[in-house]
Amino acid sequence: MAKRMLDKQKWGWWRSAVFYQIYPKSFQDTTGSGVGDLRGIISRLDYLEELGIDGIWLSPVCESPQVDNGYDISDYCAVDPMFGTMEDMQTLITEAKKRGISIIVDLVLNHSSDQHRWFREALKSRDNPYHDYYVWRDGDASRPPNEMRAVFGGSAWTWVPHLGQWYLHQFAEQQPDLNWENPAMRRELYGFIRFWVDLGVEGFRLDVIDQIAKDPELQVTNNGPRLHEFLRELSAEAFREEGLVSVGEAWGADTERAKLYSAPDASEMSMVFQFEHICLDQEPGKDKWDVIPLSLPKLKDCFRRWQEELHGKGWNSLFFNNHDLPRIVSRWGNDGEYRVESAKMLATMLHGMEGTPYIFQGEELGMTNIRLELEDHVDIETLNVYRERVAQGYDPEDVMASIRARSRDNARTPMQWTAGENAGFTTGTPWIPVNPNHSFINAEAALADPDSVFHHYQKLIGLRKTYDVFRDGSFSLLCPDDEKIFAYTRDTEHEHLLVVCNFTGESLYFDAPANFRGAKQILSNYATEAPELRPYEAVMLWYNDLERNENR
Ligand code: TEU
């Protein structure tokens, strides 16, 4: 299918686009260091062009001590030497653009690294001009200001004896939170953003943007009192003028908030990237490590609500995977016998909806979770939870079971390019183990097989560019209580799309709505048609009632 280029001068081009997330550390190494690099990404642009994507969300490549794999930035305007040089970055932007691919960079504006010049200055004295760039509380060493916990474990406060103060960090101790109440700090951040705009990037993914407006007294930092005011200023100062795409990561967004974030007047951001559909398998009051069974009706209801409420009023991201989440085929699919079918089915279900789809590297190959021993894990969150839970008396075997299901390292194993050594990712020693299943799950094999998961994603991307109903259609959920089938329609005035997905390994029957009788099957994950829905089968039917009437 020939790639249809989007007119990126037009506001809202990203509503017809499909993005691809690259986690640079694990994508392609060209130096033998065992860590992916920018030249590696450049060498794989043809592959991404063939897939058909319109933009790359690049996880952070700025200078960083890598305590949290680059989400701890020590210089916002420098490329970490581990990934290459600023020249490599420039080449990546230019080469991607030639292929119709925009580069969207990750902005970590909620916190910096403790190695950032600002924080080092801030530590010098309470009167240092940079001291107020961070969030401090006076007190004494014996008792943190409150009970707030850090996402990666322990208290969210760290004591600095020579200042007699605590500083706030919602994530690791080495990721002090920035003080957005300070206007000089905010202005400096906008300057960094303009630096990247001048370099040629076409948008930004804003890390934990709902956590920037803090009110630590409340012990909750999501959706703080001045959040939307800050976002409007950020947008006006840094990207609204040029119509650059901006994607806000917001774990705390409900549909009402999301409408503010992604209002069509572009006063805040282009779209919201929220996680309600991901957190459904988490019980209230428990955390993600307490794995509970999945409920398809709950998942459907969640998608229905977001689809209905944002239609015409906001814009959502569509994703199942990113660098923080386990592989979807190992969660909602079947990573054994029906890996290929279920990977395609999940993609079909997601890409048929309203929003901008994101493919996380390797998802287009149907990459799976990995089974690692504790000593092979790298992620700070994973290692901390093991330590904490075992100390609390949990059975280490149980803790390992939830780590295998939930660890972020599942997403971070190297991209599987070939069946050869280290999956073609590196000639050195990979920084994190390569999944042994690269012997049969790899890009080389996928490209050679017309029925591969890769080619299914390629078709989905092509369909989104062919039929406006993918962007514009209103959503209606069918059979909401069915525990095995996810089916919905999308409708514009004349175009109609039906998506039917079997979430089980059984054959099932499904009665398509009468108006779809005789409609064209535009996609399926089986080579032949059958009266029943086979294991993990997914189909898309489409018709345009104007064309139909003409044919009559
Ligand atoms: O993630 C935000 C975030 O809250 C996650 O860390 C999430 O809570 C966690 O994965 C759940 O287990 C962003 C980045 O995507 C993540 O990689 C960073 O570690 C984090 O922010 C801090 O910058």
Side-chain angles (χ1 to χ4, degrees):
M1 197 173 309
K3 178 170 175 177
R4 284 226 327 234
M5 292 278 194
L6 299 174
D7 177 1
K8 293 187 177 166
Q9 299 308 316
K10 242 170 84 186
W11 185 85
W13 64 267
W14 31 265
R15 293 188 168 192
S16 309
V18 176
F19 287 98
Y20 185 92
Q21 185 193 350
I22 291 185
Y23 197 63
K25 231 178 151 173
S26 305
F27 195 61
Q28 177 69 68
D29 174 23
T30 57
T31 63
S33 66
V35 173
D37 48 52
L38 291 171
R39 299 232 138 249
I41 301 174
I42 297 166
S43 75
R44 295 296 183 181
L45 284 172
D46 289 344
Y47 168 84
L48 297 175
E49 186 183 19
E50 181 158 357
L51 182 58
I53 52 123
D54 307 285
I56 293 172
W57 151 20
L58 190 64
S59 276
V61 293
C62 289
E63 194 187 279
S64 158
Q66 304 289 329
V67 169
D68 185 20
N69 281 341
Y71 285 88
D72 47 322
I73 293 177
S74 52
D75 186 341
Y76 287 87
C77 298
V79 167
D80 195 293
M82 176 172 97
F83 293 124
T85 63
M86 197 49 87
E87 257 185 348
D88 295 335
M89 186 69 207
Q90 184 73 73
T91 311
L92 171 62
I93 294 169
T94 314
E95 287 299 314
K97 226 174 245 182
K98 278 188 202 159
R99 294 165 175 82
I101 298 173
S102 304
I103 301 290
I104 309 296
V105 295
D106 212 318
L107 290 174
V108 188
L109 306 180
N110 175 70
H111 46 269
S112 73
S113 158
D114 63 345
Q115 298 307 307
H116 194 284
R117 184 177 59 86
W118 291 350
F119 194 68
R120 289 210 293 239
E121 286 293 317
L123 283 179
K124 287 185 180 162
S125 76
R126 290 183 180 213
D127 317 321
N128 189 289
Y130 293 103
H131 183 267
D132 189 51
Y133 278 30
Y134 296 89
V135 182
W136 301 93
R137 288 294 176 273
D138 296 343
D140 66 83
S142 62
R143 199 162 31 91
N146 59 38
E147 299 303 304
M148 208 170 134
R149 308 285 299 165
V151 174
F152 299 152
S155 169
W157 298 96
T158 289
W159 176 248
V160 180
H162 68 271
L163 294 178
Q165 286 185 311
W166 298 86
Y167 71 85
L168 176 74
H169 53 89
Q170 299 184 64
F171 294 91
E173 182 181 331
Q174 299 88 339
Q175 293 168 298
D177 271 58
L178 289 164
N179 178 19
W180 274 70
E181 299 290 332
N182 183 312
M185 192 288 295
R186 299 204 301 274
R187 257 196 312 280
E188 293 212 47
L189 289 183
Y190 307 149
F192 300 154
I193 301 177
R194 296 309 304 175
F195 169 87
W196 289 96
V197 174
D198 292 343
L199 207 70
V201 307
E202 290 173 87
F204 301 95
R205 178 262 186 185
L206 302 148
D207 191 61
V208 289
I209 202 67
D210 58 340
Q211 293 178 214
I212 57 172
K214 294 156 250 283
D215 185 352
E217 270 57 57
L218 297 175
Q219 300 197 35
V220 188
T221 52
N222 276 340
N223 303 323
R226 294 183 67 192
L227 176 63
H228 293 281
E229 174 194 334
F230 290 152
L231 287 177
R232 283 192 289 270
E233 182 186 279
L234 167 69
S235 165
E237 297 283 334
F239 36 72
R240 190 167 68 201
E241 287 287 90
E242 292 96 330
L244 300 176
V245 56
S246 50
V247 186
E249 187 200 26
W251 285 75
D254 55 18
T255 51
E256 287 312 306
R257 291 259 170 202
K259 287 181 211 167
L260 292 176
Y261 286 132
S262 62
D265 68 0
S267 54
E268 295 191 12
M269 293 174 292
S270 316
M271 67 183 106
V272 62
F273 196 98
Q274 56 77 31
F275 292 78
E276 197 180 314
H277 60 295
I278 298 290
C279 299
L280 287 177
D281 50 4
Q282 211 168 290
E283 265 174 305
K286 299 225 169 165
D287 64 29
K288 71 172 193 178
W289 304 102
D290 302 294
V291 182
I292 60 164
L294 304 164
S295 152
L296 188 61
K298 257 167 82 181
L299 182 76
K300 295 197 290 193
D301 188 58
C302 172
F303 275 113
R304 178 198 56 74
R305 201 157 20 80
W306 280 88
Q307 290 285 301
E308 287 176 0
E309 293 191 22
L310 260 59
H311 185 63
K313 302 197 180 101
W315 199 257
N316 208 349
S317 305
L318 301 169
F319 69 96
F320 269 143
N321 287 288
N322 74 8
H323 63 292
D324 293 332
L325 303 171
R327 295 281 177 179
I328 196 63
V329 74
S330 299
R331 187 73 183 126
W332 282 96
N334 172 316
D335 63 8
E337 187 183 355
Y338 295 116
R339 184 186 65 84
V340 170
E341 289 80 359
S342 64
K344 292 178 183 176
M345 181 279 286
L346 290 163
T348 308
M349 184 232 110
L350 197 67
H351 285 232
M353 289 199 240
E354 179 171 321
T356 299
Y358 286 76
I359 302 167
F360 177 65
Q361 63 184 47
E363 183 182 340
E364 78 284 11
L365 305 175
M367 272 177 64
T368 68
N369 282 354
I370 189 171
R371 191 187 160 83
L372 293 178
E373 299 308 322
L374 183 69
E375 55 273 20
D376 290 324
H377 277 285
V378 190
D379 172 36
I380 180 171
E381 182 190 44
T382 307
L383 297 171
N384 285 351
V385 81
Y386 184 85
R387 224 173 295 130
E388 270 193 2
R389 290 217 155 179
V390 170
Q392 286 162 9
Y394 282 78
D395 177 344
E397 276 310 303
D398 292 344
V399 182
M400 279 316 292
S402 50
I403 283 178
R404 286 188 181 120
R406 290 301 171 82
S407 169
R408 308 196 294 181
D409 284 336
N410 282 307
R412 300 175 179 185
T413 63
M415 178 71 178
Q416 295 168 203
W417 295 106
T418 69
E421 202 180 341
N422 294 327
F425 162 68
T426 179
T427 54
T429 308
W431 70 278
I432 188 171
V434 174
N435 197 319
N437 66 19
H438 71 272
S439 58
F440 61 98
I441 306 176
N442 62 72
E444 196 173 51
L447 288 169
D449 172 7
D451 292 327
S452 63
V453 179
F454 177 94
H455 286 114
H456 193 82
Y457 272 91
Q458 192 187 44
K459 283 178 204 155
L460 280 166
I461 297 169
L463 289 172
R464 182 161 281 266
K465 309 260 174 65
T466 308
Y467 302 109
D468 289 343
V469 67
F470 281 85
R471 187 193 51 217
D472 302 332
S474 62
F475 176 95
S476 309
L477 182 66
L478 305 177
C479 56
D481 300 324
D482 192 301
E483 290 180 358
K484 297 174 176 173
I485 295 174
F486 195 154
Y488 60 86
T489 56
R490 302 280 310 281
D491 300 277
T492 58
E493 192 184 351
H494 296 298
E495 269 190 73
H496 308 277
L497 173 73
L498 170 68
V499 180
V500 184
C501 297
N502 179 354
F503 266 70
T504 74
E506 308 158 34
S507 284
L508 303 169
Y509 282 92
F510 175 78
D511 259 336
N515 57 325
F516 281 92
R517 253 170 238 146
K520 178 169 151 193
Q521 183 174 299
I522 54 170
L523 188 75
S524 154
N525 58 351
Y526 275 79
T528 56
E529 290 190 30
E532 78 277 13
L533 272 180
R534 288 155 289 186
Y536 295 99
E537 183 160 0
V539 288
M540 279 184 168
L541 300 183
W542 173 93
Y543 71 93
N544 180 326
D545 44 35
L546 293 175
E547 280 176 22
R548 248 194 197 176
N549 294 339
E550 274 167 26
N551 294 341
R552 271 185 192 151

